[in-house]
Amino acid sequence: MNTLHQKPQSLLKEIQCEIQGVTKPWVYLGSLFTSFCWHTEDHYLYSLNYMHKGHGKTWYGVPSSNKEKFDLAMKSFMPKRFRKNPELLYQLITLLNPFYCQDEGVRVYHTVQKAGEFVVTFPNAYHGGFSHGLNCAEAVNFALPEWLPWGAKAMQDYHEKMTRKGGKRPDVFAHDQLLYHLGAMLSKIVLRNRDKIASKQRDPKLLNSCIKEVVCDELPFDPKAFVPRLLQDFSKSAKHELHYRKWLEGVKMTSNEGMSYSNAKPPQCWVCKNMPYFSHVQCKNHPERMTCPQHAFAQCDCGVDCKGLAVVVSKYGIQSMQNLIQSITKTL
């Protein structure tokens, strides 16, 4: 499980930084009736849980197709708590009888995990449960190519409908960073085969066929589903980023290119809790309050002359990556 995220089919290997509890497994010790509250995984990732030894563990699961029904069941059972804290379900502190959920029309599944057994949870699927006695288990997250739409949905759910307190849930890794590095993975495949590809450049049909062949041969999963989805998600991120850069350029904010992040991990936006990868805004009067470009003037009341845009990936770099993914998509 320590190396699961480094497997060829795993997308998380492209994050390029270690994340405790996500790419690095956590060990869980349970005792009689210790519970884990209803929740979905960070970024709606898959999870893998292995029971090393001890008493069993009861799991309840709700498929992603019933997530909205589950949300409504929770809110109808404890409306006062949700009025006070609308983001209660993101905080891993809520238990609810699964029989009540079933009475509300939610499909709930059940299993008992024993020593030596694995439990896999799927993207955007609520799960919770309790231990039958002393036990020891280990859990880690992973992402297959099929996860990409769920990752995009997580970003939408976390950040697009903000509350007064900002984003609904903090990111644990930068989604745009993952998309960019997945694009870089395709770029490396093309570069490794540049001589073979260059030999076909005179004939567009042979060139497209050659690019398709090398990508299909070297990509460890089906490119026909993966690459178009990557293009869709990256194009959305690129459009969002370049739109706000143009806005900041229009208000005469200075920018510094060639910046980088320590430990390859971007900062968290002070306002929306997103982790902006392509660039972020800093204020010299409030250096601890870094934000994404969208919330450049929500971090403090300082004027534009106190702020600066730190650019990690240039406009050319973003557009070049988008063009590369698009050109590969056209060959498939």
Side-chain angles (χ1 to χ4, degrees):
M1 294 178 74
N2 276 297
T3 60
L4 181 64
H5 72 286
Q6 293 291 348
K7 299 299 182 184
Q9 294 81 9
S10 171
L11 303 187
L12 295 185
K13 69 179 185 296
E14 301 301 329
I15 292 179
Q16 299 183 357
C17 63
E18 188 177 275
I19 304 170
Q20 293 293 327
V22 177
T23 61
K24 190 74 173 177
W26 273 359
V27 172
Y28 295 86
L29 297 176
S31 59
L32 183 61
F33 298 135
T34 53
S35 304
F36 52 107
C37 297
W38 288 106
H39 68 287
T40 57
E41 295 297 310
D42 292 322
H43 293 249
Y44 299 160
L45 291 163
Y46 292 85
S47 75
L48 180 66
N49 186 292
Y50 177 72
M51 177 78 77
H52 286 283
K53 58 173 62 179
H55 293 82
K57 184 184 291 186
T58 287
W59 288 72
Y60 298 106
V62 174
S64 61
S65 58
N66 274 225
K67 183 178 184 293
E68 290 185 3
K69 286 185 178 179
F70 180 86
D71 290 344
L72 291 173
M74 274 283 199
K75 292 173 183 177
S76 68
F77 186 79
M78 49 186 87
K80 290 183 179 179
R81 287 191 176 273
F82 276 92
R83 281 197 294 270
K84 185 177 180 180
N85 183 5
E87 314 316 325
L88 193 64
L89 284 171
Y90 288 107
Q91 296 169 4
L92 247 172
I93 56 173
T94 311
L95 290 170
L96 183 63
N97 192 320
F99 292 107
Y100 174 82
C101 297
Q102 288 182 315
D103 291 342
E104 293 296 306
V106 181
R107 287 163 54 200
V108 182
Y109 295 87
H110 161 267
T111 190
V112 176
Q113 181 187 21
K114 299 178 181 178
E117 294 181 343
F118 289 94
V119 168
V120 177
T121 68
F122 281 71
N124 204 26
Y126 276 111
H127 50 282
F130 62 90
S131 293
H132 300 181
L134 189 65
N135 57 34
C136 177
E138 185 177 1
V140 72
N141 291 112
F142 64 100
L144 300 174
E146 293 80 7
W147 164 82
L148 276 177
W150 295 113
K153 179 170 174 51
M155 293 298 96
Q156 178 181 337
D157 290 349
Y158 289 4
H159 306 299
E160 285 196 2
K161 295 180 180 179
M162 288 174 48
T163 66
R164 287 178 297 174
K165 296 181 180 179
K168 294 181 179 180
R169 184 173 178 176
D171 292 352
V172 297
F173 63 84
H175 190 75
D176 290 345
Q177 180 183 27
L178 177 60
L179 296 178
Y180 186 80
H181 287 159
L182 289 171
M185 176 181 66
L186 295 175
S187 176
K188 290 174 184 177
I189 290 175
V190 172
L191 287 173
R192 281 198 299 269
N193 295 272
R194 58 183 177 271
D195 292 339
K196 183 178 180 181
I197 293 172
S199 67
K200 310 293 183 182
Q201 283 187 338
R202 292 185 178 181
D203 189 325
K205 290 185 178 180
L206 289 178
L207 177 62
N208 288 342
S209 178
C210 182
I211 294 174
K212 178 181 178 180
E213 180 185 344
V214 299
V215 171
C216 290
D217 286 347
E218 296 200 20
L219 205 63
F221 32 77
D222 181 13
K224 292 182 180 179
F226 168 73
V227 180
R229 181 68 212 197
L230 177 62
L231 175 63
Q232 178 181 334
D233 292 348
F234 188 87
S235 296
K236 182 179 179 181
S237 292
K239 182 179 179 180
H240 182 273
E241 172 71 17
L242 297 179
H243 168 76
Y244 283 103
R245 281 199 198 177
K246 186 176 181 179
W247 169 55
L248 295 178
E249 183 181 338
V251 297
K252 309 300 181 183
M253 182 177 289
T254 59
S255 63
N256 297 305
E257 298 202 1
M259 306 296 288
S260 62
Y261 298 120
S262 60
N263 302 321
K265 191 172 183 179
Q268 194 173 84
C269 176
W270 178 262
V271 179
C272 68
K273 308 299 188 291
N274 184 22
M275 295 177 71
Y277 175 65
F278 299 126
S279 66
H280 64 272
V281 175
Q282 293 176 299
C283 176
K284 64 182 181 181
N285 296 328
H286 301 89
E288 77 285 0
R289 297 185 184 182
M290 289 184 284
T291 70
C292 63
Q294 180 179 355
H295 297 115
F297 295 99
Q299 64 186 152
C300 60
D301 295 329
C302 299
V304 68
D305 56 321
C306 297
K307 301 174 186 287
L309 182 68
V311 178
V312 176
V313 182
S314 67
K315 177 181 177 180
Y316 175 78
I318 293 172
Q319 292 175 333
S320 296
M321 183 61 72
Q322 183 175 347
N323 291 337
L324 171 71
I325 303 171
Q326 188 173 35
S327 63
I328 294 175
T329 302
K330 290 179 179 179
T331 69
L332 299 175

